[in-house]
Amino acid sequence: MWCFVISLLVGVLLVIRISQCVGPQMYGLEGDWQIKNFNASISLQGKVPGCVHFALFQQGVIKDPYYRFNDLEYRWIGLDNWSYSRTFALPSNISTWQKVNLVCEGMDTVATITLNDVTVGKTNNMFLRYVFDITNLVKEDNFIQVAFLSAISYASQQSAAHTAYTVPPECPPPVQKGECHVNFIRKEQCSFSWDWGPSFPTQGIWRDIRIEAYNICTLTYLTVTPFYVKNDHQWGLEIEAFFEVVGSESVDSNATISIPELKTKETQKIKLLPGESSSVLRVTVDKNIPVDLWWPNGHGNQTGYNMMVQFYFDENYIIERSTKVYFRTVELVQENITGSPGLSFYFKINDLPIFLKGSNWIPADSFQERVTTFSLERLLQSAVDANMNALRVWGGGIYEQEEFYNRCNELGIMIWQDFMFACALYPTDKDFIESVRAEVTHQIRRLKSHPSIIIWSGNNENEAAIAKNWYISSHKQIYTNDYVTLYVNNIQEIVQAKDKSRPYITSSPTNGEESVQEHWIAKNPYDNRYGDTHYYSYTKDCWNWPEFPKTRFASEYGFQSWPSFNTLQKISIPEDWSYYSTLSEHRQHHLKGNKEMMSQAEIHYHLPQSADPVQNFKDMVYLTQVMQAQCIKVQTEFYRRSRSEIVNKLGHTMGALYWQLNDIWQAPSWASIEYGGKWKMLHYFAKNFFAPILPVGFEEDETLYIYGISDLHIDWRMVLMINVYQWNSLEPVCVRATEYLTIKAGSAISIYKETVASLLERCGSCTRQSCVVTFYLQVYGQQYGPTNHHFLSSLKDAVGLEKPQLNATVNHQGEAFTITLQTTGIAPFVWLDIGDIAGRFEDNGFLMLQKTKEVTFYPWEPTSTAELTKALKVYSLLDIY
């Protein structure tokens, strides 16, 4: 007979083959289902995978949930109980199979499942795969129903049942307009609201659901872990296969592993016990065959090898799995540092210390079915295009889909993977712990084969919550005990047993090994001498770099900005287009966020002065992006230049992951990419401040220092070019070229030093207010890396800086477009805006110092010179005054 030779889970690449054999068969239940609310007053068709909210939107029952105040208008959806149902037919021989299962890869969240009017199981964890035995219930014609309970109601019930002590926080802050007790349900925590996102507590079948029929056994997971034997200089693979075996007797099989490109093929005998069973296969690669390693973006290739694993149970029963395997090692180094108390905190990939450059990832949409292959690819490619090599998958969202990790493997994006616990304490009753243990086990088996994942982290900020008594409670010891129970005695125990190939830390931020010594809750989890830190300060001057922590690893830091007017226009009406409108206040979920942005901007820039209220709003949006970009530039450059030095016993910073990469909806947030994929000014800045080689300038004690920062693997001899301009002239008033300097591989070193007084005197009529310093590196007379700048004063104090005339022409060049800009004077923060046309520029938000500059535009969708010319707007900081 013809059957599917299945491949349910692969570390990297999924292949389903069809061959003439007897083997497990799968029948997908995706597609159209009937959806009803509790009293059946609403009935409609909806897609699976999917959720109720999006089905209602697609069928026209509701408008766009993101439109204006619809997050509040549609709160009733999350409070109702909904059901999904459908009929489905199976082959007439379905009853001849020894075992038939209903496999649910993702149920959101609390549900009772019936098949042919018989209850087959219940679910209460969004992050679990559920498998229900339906062997004796299934027939040719079937009816399945999934009855969901409101996540809001369930969380409230679970909290009310926990009477011994409160488990905070009970509710989010009022400014977030969210729901309560999210810590009592194993569901996407930010779906009850966050300080950057709405409350949409979804219900639905959010991942694959299918019928699986088999004899003998079925393969449930297959994991692949590379290992390197240093003494033998030899690579190998540990392959762990997990099966569900039918019957009461053990089963024998011959397992063949084949990696043609490495000329590796082995057959090993395995014995499987009844029920859940697993087998470990170890294969080694001939040491005479070169193995190309997987490297992070910017450090080498992401080479993978095709591997086939075949399990032969008899001549007619074969299960095979095709996957791509990668070879790399990872190590988290926490060791003593000369001249600095505490411990280092950095990653080695393939024995090479790597500075992690990147951001934090949140769910790309409140409704996961809207996260398409294209939108996911666009976000991840945008990270790589900005010279990032790492993302932290934050613990208040979801364990991402396979496609996310597959693309990270291919793009060289290292993943710091949180488990899904964030900014809350959690119960530790028996049922909750059992559910978490199953969740962690499932997710490790599902994800551990991905080379991109370099660390597991237990939670987001929960160690800090207890240490700093966020919830002002007298139950600190109880909460500490619960913390250790959950993240140490259970999650850590499972990780260490099931994945020895990468490190685990209990929280972020944490003091790492020091937190362990302090019985898992450090006195100060933000201690700059250990582990990683999160740092936010919105009221201090963000240009004043000494305010920033000279930490070992900066895993969160950031400033807010507004998304572009075009992005906001899609979900608003004209009456909303002012900085303090009702909608502007509604969308801001961070307390005092709008005022903080304006206050921070006021430190260094004049505020917009247009008499036209809509134009004034557009100008404020632009200014918040200027402020955010410059603030995070200063802070990130501080972290990068702290890589190789110890100052006042602090330093050796080896990671900078700003908060946050992407948006979940159209609202003010810390993101550098807007909802829909448009780059904010910050993301263009990131492309420069994360460049592999970069000169960075800063002042200390009235002295200008310039550091040379390199992520390269070899030393480079370079010349530093320093140009000083008066704000009123496009010609530099003085130019200096240094002698050849050596920029050391993987380091940050001081390459230039001059007092500001000397610089101003050397450059004639310059003052702090009238001049700006720019600098770049050269190799053999050619510029290498971006041009950087250092402002000698606030832009609002600049003398001679006048509004220039900016003109632009567009020309088609192959698959891209060239924008030729002309200016009559120096223009700070030049911004090219093409409205709703999808794509990105080669550079944007820049300081324009030449009369003419060419910028390439890369469209993501077909467009034309005429469309671009019509849409293109060019302006600078001077245009908002």
Side-chain angles (χ1 to χ4, degrees):
M1 64 183 292
W2 290 94
C3 65
F4 286 102
V5 180
I6 63 170
S7 179
L8 300 183
L9 170 68
V10 178
V12 188
L13 178 67
L14 178 68
V15 174
I16 298 178
R17 304 166 67 88
I18 299 179
S19 59
Q20 195 168 11
C21 65
V22 177
Q25 283 192 292
M26 291 188 293
Y27 306 92
L29 297 180
E30 68 281 350
D32 292 330
W33 288 58
Q34 194 68 22
I35 302 175
K36 294 181 181 180
N37 67 336
F38 184 71
N39 66 7
S41 61
I42 300 175
S43 180
L44 68 154
Q45 271 196 344
K47 297 290 185 183
V48 167
C51 72
V52 172
H53 285 81
F54 195 59
L56 291 169
F57 173 55
Q58 284 188 310
Q59 294 296 334
V61 179
I62 63 173
K63 296 179 181 179
D64 180 358
Y66 284 178
Y67 184 71
R68 300 197 79 216
F69 306 96
N70 281 349
D71 55 319
L72 300 184
E73 292 293 323
Y74 298 150
R75 184 171 179 259
W76 59 270
I77 300 170
L79 291 169
D80 208 339
N81 301 324
W82 297 81
S83 67
Y84 279 65
S85 63
R86 64 165 288 175
T87 59
F88 63 94
L90 294 173
S92 58
N93 67 347
I94 190 68
S95 62
T96 65
W97 293 90
Q98 288 179 281
K99 189 72 173 286
V100 183
N101 286 336
L102 174 66
V103 181
C104 309
E105 293 288 352
M107 305 297 285
D108 180 16
T109 295
V110 183
T112 299
I113 303 169
T114 59
L115 179 67
N116 300 326
D117 298 323
V118 177
T119 299
V120 297
K122 296 185 177 184
T123 72
N124 62 6
N125 189 324
M126 181 181 184
F127 308 123
L128 254 181
R129 171 197 286 173
Y130 287 92
V131 180
F132 302 110
D133 184 353
I134 58 171
T135 308
N136 298 322
L137 294 174
V138 75
K139 50 191 180 182
E140 287 186 53
D141 295 311
N142 301 274
F143 176 75
I144 185 172
Q145 183 178 53
V146 181
F148 288 97
L149 174 65
S150 162
I152 301 168
S153 300
Y154 176 85
S156 179
Q157 292 167 11
Q158 295 299 303
S159 175
H162 194 284
T163 57
Y165 53 90
T166 58
V167 182
E170 294 193 78
C171 299
V175 69
Q176 293 181 17
K177 308 162 189 73
E179 303 295 348
C180 300
H181 311 299
V182 70
N183 49 340
F184 277 87
I185 183 170
R186 292 309 300 141
K187 175 177 171 59
E188 178 184 15
Q189 298 290 275
C190 66
S191 67
F192 276 40
S193 81
W194 217 263
D195 57 3
W196 38 254
S199 175
F200 285 113
T202 49
Q203 297 174 44
I205 303 170
W206 77 294
R207 284 189 169 156
D208 179 48
I209 182 170
R210 63 183 179 273
I211 305 295
E212 185 175 342
Y214 57 94
N215 297 326
I216 303 177
C217 68
T218 189
L219 182 64
T220 55
Y221 302 91
L222 188 135
T223 67
V224 184
T225 305
F227 61 87
Y228 183 68
V229 182
K230 285 189 176 181
N231 293 338
D232 297 333
H233 304 288
Q234 190 169 30
W235 282 96
L237 294 170
E238 181 177 279
I239 302 160
E240 191 166 10
F242 298 86
F243 295 87
E244 182 69 33
V245 179
V246 182
S248 58
E249 297 182 0
S250 61
V251 174
D252 294 325
S253 174
N254 288 324
T256 299
I257 304 102
S258 177
I259 312 173
E261 293 163 281
L262 296 178
K263 299 178 182 177
T264 299
K265 187 171 184 178
E266 291 188 21
T267 298
Q268 302 178 18
K269 292 185 179 297
I270 63 172
K271 182 181 287 292
L272 302 176
L273 301 177
E276 293 184 5
S277 186
S278 65
S279 181
V280 176
L281 310 168
R282 289 174 69 92
V283 298
T284 55
V285 178
D286 188 330
K287 65 176 67 176
N288 295 316
I289 297 175
V291 175
D292 290 334
L293 305 184
W294 182 93
W295 288 97
N297 177 42
H299 291 277
N301 297 325
Q302 292 77 47
T303 305
Y305 296 92
N306 295 318
M307 183 184 75
M308 175 72 75
V309 183
Q310 297 168 306
F311 299 95
Y312 298 88
F313 294 92
D314 59 42
E315 61 182 16
N316 292 319
Y317 199 91
I318 304 171
I319 299 175
E320 63 185 35
R321 182 69 53 83
S322 177
T323 185
K324 194 175 284 286
V325 297
Y326 298 86
F327 295 87
R328 69 104 180 90
T329 61
V330 58
E331 179 185 2
L332 174 60
V333 181
Q334 299 182 76
E335 61 187 11
N336 294 326
I337 301 173
T338 302
S340 178
L343 299 172
S344 65
F345 191 93
Y346 69 91
F347 292 89
K348 281 186 177 181
I349 303 296
N350 303 325
D351 214 32
L352 178 73
I354 302 287
F355 189 106
L356 269 64
K357 303 179 298 184
S359 189
N360 286 260
W361 174 275
I362 66 168
D365 205 293
S366 294
F367 315 112
Q368 281 296 305
E369 58 267 52
R370 294 206 294 203
V371 183
T372 64
T373 298
F374 180 70
S375 63
L376 194 65
E377 166 68 22
R378 193 157 65 185
L379 285 168
L380 294 176
Q381 186 62 55
S382 292
V384 169
D385 290 344
N387 290 309
M388 296 184 184
N389 62 22
L391 293 173
R392 173 173 170 251
V393 177
W394 169 76
I398 61 171
Y399 305 96
E400 282 293 337
Q401 56 185 277
E402 285 296 312
E403 194 169 359
F404 172 88
Y405 300 99
N406 289 341
R407 279 307 280 150
C408 289
N409 298 338
E410 294 162 356
L411 293 169
I413 301 174
M414 293 176 285
I415 295 299
W416 173 313
Q417 179 67 55
D418 282 1
F419 288 102
M420 293 300 119
F421 303 87
C423 298
L425 307 184
Y426 290 86
T428 57
D429 57 88
K430 181 174 178 291
D431 289 344
F432 190 88
I433 291 294
E434 286 181 356
S435 181
V436 168
R437 288 185 66 88
E439 168 191 327
V440 171
T441 298
H442 167 60
Q443 295 298 339
I444 290 174
R445 290 174 179 173
R446 186 174 80 90
L447 299 176
K448 68 177 286 190
S449 301
H450 292 283
S452 52
I453 299 176
I454 63 167
I455 187 171
W456 301 105
S457 176
N459 65 73
N460 175 75
E461 297 183 349
N462 295 347
E463 178 183 344
I466 296 174
K468 298 301 181 181
N469 198 19
W470 285 5
Y471 307 115
I472 313 175
S473 171
S474 60
H475 297 313
K476 183 175 181 179
Q477 190 56 54
I478 293 174
Y479 296 152
T480 299
N481 293 342
D482 284 351
Y483 181 94
V484 173
T485 296
L486 181 56
Y487 303 112
V488 181
N489 298 342
N490 284 282
I491 296 179
Q492 178 177 269
E493 182 266 327
I494 294 170
V495 173
Q496 291 179 344
K498 300 186 183 303
D499 185 10
K500 297 179 176 65
S501 68
R502 49 179 62 85
Y504 168 82
I505 55 174
T506 50
S507 187
S508 176
T510 183
N511 288 350
E513 289 298 326
E514 176 61 21
S515 288
V516 176
Q517 296 303 312
E518 295 183 47
H519 308 291
W520 305 105
I521 304 290
K523 182 177 180 181
N524 177 22
Y526 300 96
D527 193 327
N528 295 328
R529 300 170 299 170
Y530 304 94
D532 68 314
T533 58
H534 297 183
Y535 177 83
Y536 297 94
S537 176
Y538 308 113
T539 56
K540 296 176 182 176
D541 179 0
C542 73
W543 290 20
N544 185 25
W545 62 265
E547 294 288 351
F548 303 129
K550 207 169 183 72
T551 175
R552 305 296 193 210
F553 194 107
S555 53
E556 275 195 33
Y557 59 98
F559 293 86
Q560 281 197 325
S561 71
W562 275 83
S564 66
F565 181 74
N566 288 91
T567 294
L568 293 168
Q569 202 170 10
K570 296 178 178 66
I571 50 86
S572 60
I573 59 176
E575 71 181 64
D576 303 323
W577 299 341
S578 68
Y579 194 73
Y580 290 115
S581 70
T582 303
L583 183 67
S584 292
E585 292 295 316
H586 173 74
R587 288 276 161 155
Q588 176 57 268
H589 283 198
H590 169 61
L591 188 63
K592 300 180 182 178
N594 290 341
K595 289 182 179 179
E596 287 173 349
M597 281 187 278
M598 183 173 285
S599 297
Q600 184 64 235
E602 265 187 313
I603 297 173
H604 294 290
Y605 316 97
H606 293 297
L607 296 183
Q609 299 167 3
S610 175
D612 179 346
V614 175
Q615 186 59 50
N616 191 268
F617 178 56
K618 292 178 180 180
D619 292 343
M620 273 306 303
V621 165
Y622 163 80
L623 186 59
T624 65
Q625 292 202 18
V626 169
M627 175 273 295
Q628 179 196 38
Q630 184 67 19
C631 286
I632 296 182
K633 173 185 185 292
V634 173
Q635 191 167 1
T636 304
E637 290 180 348
F638 167 71
Y639 293 138
R640 290 198 70 190
R641 64 180 167 84
S642 298
R643 170 178 185 158
S644 304
E645 66 181 13
I646 297 296
V647 177
N648 297 325
K649 299 183 178 181
L650 295 174
H652 278 201
T653 305
M654 284 297 287
L657 308 178
Y658 66 75
W659 185 270
Q660 65 208 61
L661 180 76
N662 55 313
D663 260 334
I664 198 170
W665 71 335
Q666 308 93 333
S669 79
W670 294 257
S672 64
I673 301 178
E674 300 175 5
Y675 180 80
K678 188 172 185 175
W679 288 22
K680 289 183 180 178
M681 192 178 295
L682 169 58
H683 208 75
Y684 288 102
F685 273 43
K687 184 172 181 284
N688 288 331
F689 63 60
F690 281 146
I693 198 154
L694 177 72
V696 169
F698 65 98
E699 285 185 50
E700 186 173 22
D701 298 329
E702 294 295 314
T703 300
L704 172 67
Y705 293 86
I706 299 177
Y707 274 40
I709 300 169
S710 174
D711 291 327
L712 305 180
H713 296 184
I714 59 173
D715 297 350
W716 275 85
R717 282 178 56 75
M718 295 179 154
V719 170
L720 176 67
M721 301 295 299
I722 306 169
N723 296 333
V724 179
Y725 290 83
Q726 286 190 321
W727 284 117
N728 63 4
S729 174
L730 288 167
E731 296 297 326
V733 293
C734 60
V735 176
R736 172 168 286 186
T738 67
E739 300 295 325
Y740 269 95
L741 310 160
T742 298
I743 310 293
K744 294 278 189 182
S747 71
I749 59 172
S750 177
I751 58 174
Y752 186 80
K753 170 182 172 183
E754 183 178 10
T755 66
V756 175
S758 171
L759 180 144
L760 295 175
E761 182 179 356
R762 177 168 61 84
C763 295
S765 58
C766 267
T767 67
R768 278 188 171 274
Q769 291 73 31
S770 67
C771 289
V772 60
V773 185
T774 70
F775 37 90
Y776 59 90
L777 293 164
Q778 275 189 351
V779 178
Y780 303 124
Q782 298 295 315
Q783 182 170 340
Y784 193 107
T787 298
N788 208 341
H789 60 262
H790 175 70
F791 296 135
L792 295 167
S793 72
S794 295
L795 272 292
K796 69 180 182 181
D797 298 325
V799 174
L801 185 58
E802 297 181 357
K803 181 179 177 180
Q805 291 183 356
L806 290 164
N807 297 300
T809 57
V810 181
N811 291 290
H812 202 171
Q813 300 287 337
E815 295 183 354
F817 295 83
T818 298
I819 317 294
T820 302
L821 296 172
Q822 291 183 320
T823 182
T824 57
I826 290 179
F829 304 106
V830 174
W831 188 243
L832 286 70
D833 193 341
I834 36 78
D836 292 328
I837 297 176
R840 71 166 182 88
F841 293 94
E842 176 188 17
D843 194 11
N844 212 347
F846 46 82
L847 175 63
M848 190 165 177
L849 297 162
Q850 303 84 28
K851 291 180 181 179
T852 303
K853 179 181 174 71
E854 289 189 347
V855 179
T856 303
F857 175 72
Y858 302 98
W860 292 329
E861 297 171 355
T863 187
S864 67
T865 302
E867 286 179 326
L868 272 176
T869 300
K870 182 179 180 181
L872 180 64
K873 293 181 174 61
V874 183
Y875 44 94
S876 75
L877 184 68
L878 284 306
D879 286 292
I880 70 172
Y881 304 136

